[in-house]
Amino acid sequence: MAEIEMYKRSPIEQDLFVRRSKETMRGQVMMFSLMIFMTICSFTFVVAFQQGVEGFTKYMVIPVLFLFAAVQVALQLYYFMHMKDKGHGVPQMFMFTGAVFAFLIPLTFVTIVWW
């Protein structure tokens, strides 16, 4: 039967590992808090629009909701799907290329129909 070798971290390596883990957790908690805040703001915008609050028209609310949604998707991909880590270049390229095409194709058809 083969023996399994165990690698024990040195105190310096363990300290670096703990520090990086804390930084990662702090970033994820901050981004989660930001996303919760943006979600609450989105619901507030919709409720204010439905209540007929002055200044909350559909021409202001809808673009703001789309902006918040795009920011949240980008943050979730970047932080929670670990796209900020090394070695994710090819999936990033495919995802961003798909996002560009998902934006450009409807824009092209809308432009063609309107002109």
Side-chain angles (χ1 to χ4, degrees):
M1 193 151 186
E3 288 188 36
I4 299 174
E5 287 188 38
M6 299 293 290
Y7 176 75
K8 185 173 181 187
R9 293 184 187 128
S10 70
I12 294 173
E13 289 174 325
Q14 181 65 25
D15 183 47
L16 179 63
F17 176 76
V18 169
R19 194 169 8 136
R20 284 185 180 164
S21 296
K22 285 181 181 178
E23 289 174 4
T24 302
M25 183 58 72
R26 187 178 322 129
Q28 287 186 350
V29 168
M30 286 175 44
M31 287 304 119
F32 179 74
S33 301
L34 178 64
M35 285 185 232
I36 293 296
F37 175 73
M38 290 173 65
T39 302
I40 291 170
C41 287
S42 298
F43 279 111
T44 305
F45 272 74
V46 170
V47 168
F49 171 68
Q50 288 179 344
Q51 301 274 327
V53 176
E54 185 71 30
F56 285 90
T57 65
K58 68 179 179 180
Y59 299 110
M60 193 263 303
V61 171
I62 292 173
V64 169
L65 292 179
F66 278 123
L67 176 69
F68 282 175
V71 169
Q72 283 189 340
V73 165
L75 289 176
Q76 286 180 8
L77 287 174
Y78 190 72
Y79 277 95
F80 297 125
M81 298 302 290
H82 304 285
M83 288 293 153
K84 65 180 176 11
D85 297 339
K86 292 182 181 178
H88 290 103
V90 174
Q92 280 180 347
M93 179 194 67
F94 280 114
M95 289 172 57
F96 291 138
T97 303
V100 167
F101 280 125
F103 174 73
L104 288 179
I105 290 173
L107 179 67
T108 302
F109 285 120
V110 167
T111 303
I112 289 171
V113 168
W114 278 0
W115 277 348

